[in-house]
Amino acid sequence: MEQAREYSEEEIYRHLEPYISAWFRKKYKHFTPPQRYSIVEVIERRNILICAPTGSGKTFACFLGIINHLCKLNRESRLGDRIYCLYISPLKALGNDIRRNLEEPLTEIAELMERELGITNKIRVAVRTGDTTQKERQSMLRKPPHILITTPESAAIILNAPKFREHLKQLDYVVIDEIHEVADSKRGAHLSITLERLQHFCSAGFTRIGMSATISPLEEVAKFLVGYDEAHKPRPCLIADVSFAKELEVSVHSPLNFVYDTGDATAALYDKVRTLVEEHKSTLIFTNTRSGAERVAYKLAKLMTADRDRIGTHHGSLSRDTRFEVEEGLKDGRMKAVACSSSLELGIDIGSLDLCILIGSPKSVTRLIQRVGRSGHRLDRVARGCLVVTDLDDLVECTVLARCARDKKLDRVRIVGPALDVLAQQLVGMALEQRWNVEEAYNLIRRAYPYRNLNKEQFISVLRYLAGDFSELESRKVYAKIWYDGEEGVFGRKRSTRGIYMTHVGTIPSESSVQVFLREPKKKIGEIDEPFLEKLGKGDSFVLGGKTYKFVSVRGMRAYVDPFEGMPTIPAWIGEMLPLEYDSALEIGRFRAEMERRLEDSHRTEVVKWLKRDYGLAEAAAEDMVSYFEEQKKYVGIIPNHRRILVEYYCDDSGCQNIVFHALYGRRVLDALSRAYAYAISRKYKTNVSITINDNGFILKLPHRRVDVNSDLISDLVSSDTVEGILRESVKRTELFKRRFRHCAVRGLMVLKQYRGYEIGVGKQQRSSSSILSVAKKIEGFPIVEETYREILEEVFDIEHAKEVLRGIEAGKIEVIVVETPFPSPFAHNLVALQASDVVLMESRRELLLELHKRVLEYIQN
């Protein structure tokens, strides 16, 4: 991978067709940084990854080179009726935006060519997605566009459309926009194989262009973009990194003095948001949940009655028409403020905004920059963002993430591993194309970057499953999708499979609400989301409709419960919150270590000055943070950080033993570690263990004082060698495993969501997958079962970094300190409040935190 160089304006103009140069000079005057780095490379047909901020002209940087190529062919009367550029967008709406944005320059350039050269042939652009009508598809088949805009899923379908794919035979360019949206997911794994299949089909190599506003590490993403050549070496790719060409201004606002003020924090937060909105012409307000977006818009409309009709909401649960109306309102300046979840993070054109407000931590530096970058849409305008914090932990987190954003420290993306369910789906698509030699197909798959380390045994096991070699699955209506001759080393299609494949392309799982019923008397009491159900184990209790229930069982999309008197073990928010990323968590750990060092070496006034100077905090917020750290230090003597895990244990008022792990490694790592330790303790001591987790640690709660907690026990319970086996054992009978197996089984064409034109409901899919799982789990190394384990361990959890932490403990690089405390330390207060969050009302949560704080102060002073 090589860094792209910056070209002068004169060099770029020399590469452009004269009439395009004339048009550009008249319309734009100067090239933007991403255009100076990439236009020439695109014209010269070199693979390139362009990383540049929103509104910097990176999309046009890519398209100007492609348009120049097409116009040159047109001038030479060589522009044929075929597709020259395949533009792949992760969002349908983004694709439609791109088409609209291309129409104006293409029309103006066409008029110029006709006037100056007498050329009337025009460059055609079209969009093909799942929404494209049959009539439009037929029209494209007769007269294909020169630039086709599509989605990853539609690109895979086109590859298996025998007539239409012939238009792709001589493809020149493939563009992947918002590449960060797919690189770290199964959608990206699917797309990477599609690109290799497309390259195998094409008569010559095509140029690959990737675009993103925020992504790291760029070298890894570039390898994902271009894949491997026949010699199993990464294809060449240039990297144009102008991601920080645009000025970024990020500030942290603390609406309340959290340590000393006993006022209403929620009211203070909304007052702060209202003030910020009133000071600006147009504001986007990001929350971390859909319900949060609804709540903010509702509260703001009540506070700003004069602008009530100019305050909107945008998230994935709203209808497309509603979202489109809000997007258009932002674009034409009618909206004063819009509260949204992550739905407006991507590059949909919403015009120029003055400010982005983030309520609470965005949980990653990359997401922070992505969100703030939606403001000041043009390159010459400053992107302004305000982080409004909700508590002391949030204050620390937002302070560190804001500094990392200013220092250009991004979270690293992790390319998903060799997903076997995606492989199964793609192999069926390949079998529909032709008869394949196994070795040739295996080598093609390994050219896709996520599959570079796929071993031959895994590949053959997927072929054997698809060919129906496991006859015991026929009793569960799992039939062969391909034929496979192991002796000759070839495979091919079965006639009945085309319809199944074409209606099941893609990786995004179907999810639905789960109906909750009392067992006795049998009656419906409400519903929960599937991600929440995934967290439930038999015997877990949770709150629904203000009452507590114990989870008993689930069948299909019905969960059965019993009434329960007592504390819930699973808080209601658990399925919805964004996780703190591993790299961001380590930065917070480093900040904690630096805070402790400064508090030991300097007077608190000096530390406050440092926070104001280096982190841009207001006086009150800096004082709050210093007090928070001082109290933790005085109470326990220890500030936990990324190199020091604090394990504190205490008995609460009900006599339960609570073991608190203060560990800063990201939520997915903590998910893995908390589940492993809870399972190990429950087995060793024959007791139930409930888990409460946030981004700073977790609490394991035992019904009685059972465990003699010490550092030896911590290292004996779970190690880097045993953690994976413990986690596999702990998840195999859970709802998490059953639901994830259904997702994998649908992707891998074991369970159908549509058959012969009839939709199969999620409930029936779940019942089918449960039936199949009962047989499949008995087959040694069955690929879809193994893929379910891999998905949970690597994508739901973060097993690799969990092992890294445990290896650090074993090598003495990470210190574990165990302390018994009479009651929770200040850094544990938010965890304790979460533990009680379903039985303590929001207004009482503040009182609980104040009571815990009061106890700590009394203890310190005595």
Side-chain angles (χ1 to χ4, degrees):
M1 303 297 123
E2 189 182 328
Q3 297 299 315
R5 79 171 179 90
E6 186 176 11
Y7 288 81
S8 68
E9 302 225 338
E10 291 72 24
E11 285 178 296
I12 299 170
Y13 282 126
R14 279 203 302 271
H15 280 81
L16 290 172
E17 291 282 289
Y19 47 90
I20 292 182
S21 291
W23 169 82
F24 190 90
R25 285 179 197 273
K26 183 179 177 183
K27 194 171 180 76
Y28 292 105
K29 306 293 188 291
H30 296 290
F31 294 103
T32 64
Q35 291 165 357
R36 290 198 295 273
Y37 277 87
S38 53
I39 288 173
V40 172
E41 310 299 1
V42 172
I43 291 171
E44 295 288 341
R45 299 283 308 275
R46 296 188 185 102
N47 297 329
I48 188 167
L49 173 63
I50 307 166
C51 190
T54 302
S56 64
K58 65 177 178 295
T59 306
F60 197 54
C62 149
F63 273 119
L64 192 62
I66 294 168
I67 290 169
N68 190 79
H69 173 69
L70 295 174
C71 286
K72 183 181 179 184
L73 293 175
N74 200 9
R75 178 174 58 78
E76 296 169 351
S77 302
R78 293 192 296 124
L79 187 67
D81 282 341
R82 64 178 176 86
I83 297 167
Y84 288 83
C85 170
L86 187 66
Y87 171 95
I88 299 172
S89 158
L91 284 183
K92 291 179 191 174
L94 188 54
N96 289 321
D97 250 10
I98 294 297
R99 183 191 60 192
R100 283 195 296 270
N101 292 340
L102 277 176
E103 282 170 355
E104 183 183 323
L106 284 175
T107 300
E108 291 172 354
I109 290 169
E111 288 171 354
L112 201 60
M113 289 183 76
E114 185 173 358
R115 190 165 60 247
E116 294 193 4
L117 304 173
I119 295 170
T120 56
N121 192 18
K122 291 182 171 58
I123 295 167
R124 299 186 297 274
V125 183
V127 177
R128 176 163 173 165
T129 67
D131 295 338
T132 306
T133 65
Q134 193 61 39
K135 184 180 177 182
E136 289 170 320
R137 290 178 193 182
Q138 288 300 318
S139 174
M140 284 184 218
L141 184 60
R142 288 190 300 273
K143 202 169 182 68
H146 300 112
I147 299 172
L148 178 64
I149 298 166
T150 190
T151 61
E153 293 74 22
S154 290
I157 289 170
I158 289 167
L159 256 181
N160 281 100
K163 292 179 182 176
F164 192 82
R165 77 180 192 141
E166 290 301 319
H167 294 309
L168 296 168
K169 188 77 175 174
Q170 299 175 66
L171 194 64
D172 289 339
Y173 294 97
V174 171
V175 181
I176 304 174
D177 202 357
E178 304 289 358
I179 195 169
H180 64 275
E181 269 298 299
V182 295
D184 63 347
S185 68
K186 287 194 174 182
R187 209 173 173 206
H190 191 276
L191 176 58
S192 70
I193 297 179
T194 298
L195 292 178
E196 293 309 324
R197 288 175 57 197
L198 183 59
Q199 185 60 82
H200 178 82
F201 171 73
C202 287
S203 54
F206 51 74
T207 302
R208 305 188 193 205
I209 303 165
M211 293 188 288
S212 176
T214 44
I215 198 161
S216 175
L218 291 173
E219 291 76 13
E220 184 86 352
V221 179
K223 289 175 186 174
F224 168 80
L225 170 67
V226 297
Y228 281 65
D229 61 20
E230 285 77 4
H232 209 60
K233 295 276 196 303
R235 295 185 180 100
C237 186
L238 293 168
I239 296 171
D241 182 11
V242 284
S243 52
F244 295 95
K246 186 175 172 181
E247 191 179 343
L248 194 72
E249 196 177 279
V250 186
S251 56
V252 177
H253 297 257
S254 184
L256 201 67
N257 188 313
F258 290 110
V259 173
Y260 302 108
D261 200 329
T262 57
D264 187 338
T266 306
L269 185 146
Y270 286 120
D271 279 340
K272 183 66 187 176
V273 171
R274 179 189 62 180
T275 302
L276 289 168
V277 168
E278 286 175 341
E279 289 172 352
H280 294 83
K281 185 181 174 184
S282 57
T283 304
L284 202 55
I285 307 165
F286 284 100
T287 66
N288 287 344
T289 63
R290 293 173 181 187
S291 57
E294 292 284 359
R295 196 161 53 245
V296 168
Y298 172 76
K299 289 278 191 182
L300 209 53
K302 286 187 74 174
L303 289 169
M304 299 174 63
T305 50
D307 286 311
R308 180 190 299 273
D309 295 335
R310 299 177 63 210
I311 294 165
T313 313
H314 191 289
H315 57 72
S317 296
L318 297 171
S319 71
R320 175 71 196 106
D321 289 345
T322 303
R323 296 199 306 273
F324 182 73
E325 191 178 326
V326 170
E327 290 160 20
E328 290 300 302
L330 279 169
K331 202 181 298 186
D332 62 26
R334 282 182 288 116
M335 304 301 289
K336 176 75 172 170
V338 171
C340 63
S341 57
S342 58
S343 57
L344 286 176
E345 274 179 24
L346 284 182
I348 299 168
D349 185 9
I350 50 172
S352 186
L353 298 163
D354 295 336
L355 179 72
C356 286
I357 297 173
L358 284 67
I359 296 182
S361 166
K363 301 299 176 184
S364 97
V365 182
T366 304
R367 190 178 292 113
L368 168 57
I369 293 170
Q370 189 79 27
R371 289 180 171 185
V372 173
R374 300 302 274 149
S375 67
H377 196 69
R378 294 201 314 270
L379 190 61
D380 58 350
R381 293 187 59 184
V382 176
R384 286 194 171 86
C386 295
L387 291 156
V388 181
V389 307
T390 56
D391 58 43
L392 285 165
D393 286 334
D394 203 38
L395 173 60
V396 174
E397 199 171 298
C398 288
T399 298
V400 174
L401 295 189
R403 173 65 183 266
C404 288
R406 290 190 287 267
D407 291 347
K408 309 173 179 54
K409 290 182 180 176
L410 297 178
D411 299 281
R412 292 168 297 169
V413 72
R414 293 186 68 209
I415 307 298
V416 76
L420 300 183
D421 51 353
V422 172
L423 174 61
Q425 186 185 126
Q426 288 277 18
L427 285 174
V428 171
M430 289 169 67
L432 292 172
E433 295 175 337
Q434 65 178 69
R435 171 189 167 113
W436 284 86
N437 172 278
V438 167
E439 204 62 37
E440 184 186 15
Y442 175 57
N443 288 333
L444 182 151
I445 295 296
R446 289 179 71 236
R447 290 201 284 272
Y449 187 66
Y451 292 87
R452 64 199 180 280
N453 297 323
L454 177 75
N455 66 54
K456 192 70 167 289
E457 290 74 20
Q458 290 174 307
F459 185 76
I460 296 299
S461 75
V462 174
L463 282 178
R464 289 187 61 212
Y465 143 61
L466 290 173
D469 278 12
F470 304 104
S471 57
E472 52 266 60
L473 287 169
E474 287 193 7
S475 65
R476 297 297 189 267
K477 298 182 180 177
V478 178
Y479 304 115
K481 308 293 188 301
I482 65 171
W483 59 262
Y484 163 57
D485 186 330
E487 288 187 15
E488 193 181 338
V490 289
F491 69 92
R493 71 186 179 101
K494 280 188 170 286
R495 289 178 182 272
S496 58
T497 309
R498 176 172 291 277
I500 291 172
Y501 173 78
M502 297 297 269
T503 53
H504 286 75
V505 167
T507 62
I508 301 168
S510 304
E511 288 195 335
S512 179
S513 294
V514 178
Q515 310 301 307
V516 181
F517 284 79
L518 273 177
R519 281 200 304 171
E520 295 294 336
K522 189 177 285 187
K523 70 170 186 176
K524 182 181 172 182
I525 54 171
E527 56 186 45
I528 55 177
D529 292 331
E530 279 200 272
F532 180 71
L533 179 67
E534 286 183 352
K535 304 289 182 183
L536 294 176
K538 189 173 181 180
D540 275 332
S541 51
F542 63 98
V543 170
L544 185 62
K547 295 181 180 177
T548 309
Y549 299 95
K550 188 181 285 288
F551 174 64
V552 178
S553 63
V554 66
R555 178 167 172 74
M557 302 306 287
R558 282 190 174 194
Y560 294 93
V561 299
D562 289 333
F564 179 68
E565 295 294 329
M567 292 283 286
T569 57
I570 307 291
W573 53 266
I574 198 83
E576 203 179 2
M577 294 298 286
L578 292 170
L580 179 67
E581 295 295 336
Y582 176 76
D583 293 325
S584 293
L586 293 186
E587 290 295 333
I588 294 165
R590 293 184 186 103
F591 174 79
R592 281 188 178 184
E594 179 65 12
M595 276 287 286
E596 183 174 28
R597 188 188 68 75
R598 286 179 179 270
L599 285 170
E600 287 171 349
D601 296 347
S602 315
H603 191 270
R604 68 170 286 140
T605 54
E606 292 302 312
V607 182
V608 169
K609 282 181 187 174
W610 168 68
L611 289 171
K612 289 166 66 180
R613 183 185 68 246
D614 287 24
Y615 288 87
L617 289 183
E619 179 93 24
E623 290 278 359
D624 255 1
M625 194 185 292
V626 170
S627 296
Y628 187 39
F629 275 76
E630 281 181 334
E631 287 171 13
Q632 175 71 20
K633 182 75 172 174
K634 287 174 184 173
Y635 181 63
V636 189
I638 296 155
I639 303 290
N641 59 49
H642 64 303
R643 292 295 182 198
R644 180 194 292 156
I645 295 171
L646 170 64
V647 180
E648 66 169 298
Y649 63 100
Y650 62 90
C651 280
D652 60 27
D653 296 340
S654 61
C656 294
Q657 185 178 25
N658 292 264
I659 306 169
V660 186
F661 286 69
H662 297 268
L664 280 163
Y665 304 107
R667 175 80 65 79
R668 294 191 303 122
V669 173
L670 297 186
D671 266 338
L673 293 176
S674 62
R675 192 179 282 262
Y677 277 110
Y679 188 79
I681 289 172
S682 69
R683 291 287 170 174
K684 184 177 176 73
Y685 295 95
K686 304 290 187 286
T687 184
N688 292 327
V689 181
S690 69
I691 302 169
T692 301
I693 184 170
N694 70 6
D695 292 309
N696 297 312
F698 55 90
I699 301 177
L700 305 181
K701 186 171 187 173
L702 288 69
H704 308 289
R705 180 158 187 163
R706 300 246 179 146
V707 180
D708 180 20
V709 186
N710 56 62
S711 54
D712 288 339
L713 177 73
I714 301 301
S715 55
D716 289 346
L717 283 169
V718 180
S719 73
S720 58
D721 290 333
T722 62
V723 64
E724 187 167 335
I726 291 171
L727 285 172
R728 282 176 71 107
E729 191 64 30
S730 73
V731 301
K732 71 180 182 182
R733 294 182 185 86
T734 62
E735 284 305 315
L736 171 63
F737 193 87
K738 292 173 190 172
R739 302 280 146 179
R740 294 291 171 147
F741 178 78
R742 184 191 88 227
H743 295 171
C744 294
V746 171
R747 287 189 204 102
L749 309 182
M750 287 187 86
V751 171
L752 303 184
K753 55 186 178 182
Q754 193 181 103
Y755 189 61
R756 292 184 176 176
Y758 292 97
E759 294 288 333
I760 298 171
V762 175
K764 192 168 183 183
Q765 291 175 34
Q766 187 62 47
R767 288 192 293 275
S768 296
S769 72
S770 297
S771 173
I772 292 166
L773 179 58
S774 65
V775 174
K777 66 185 179 184
K778 296 173 185 173
I779 302 170
E780 183 72 27
F782 187 72
I784 305 301
V785 173
E786 287 304 308
E787 175 55 27
T788 307
Y789 279 119
R790 192 207 62 78
E791 180 179 313
I792 291 170
L793 293 176
E794 295 182 14
E795 297 175 44
V796 179
F797 303 150
D798 182 353
I799 186 66
E800 288 311 310
H801 283 130
K803 286 179 179 178
E804 193 177 302
V805 170
L806 292 166
R807 283 193 292 268
I809 293 170
E810 290 152 10
K813 294 177 181 176
I814 297 175
E815 185 182 15
V816 178
I817 299 173
V818 180
V819 177
E820 183 174 12
T821 55
F823 36 81
S825 69
F827 280 16
H829 289 181
N830 273 330
L831 266 168
V832 175
L834 280 178
Q835 202 178 44
S837 65
D838 272 339
V839 288
V840 174
L841 297 172
M842 275 305 293
E843 52 266 32
S844 303
R845 183 176 182 272
R846 179 80 180 153
E847 292 172 18
L848 172 61
L849 288 168
L850 287 169
E851 176 60 30
L852 290 169
H853 183 232
K854 181 182 169 187
R855 286 189 189 183
V856 167
L857 286 181
E858 288 173 353
Y859 185 87
I860 292 169
Q861 288 160 3
N862 292 337

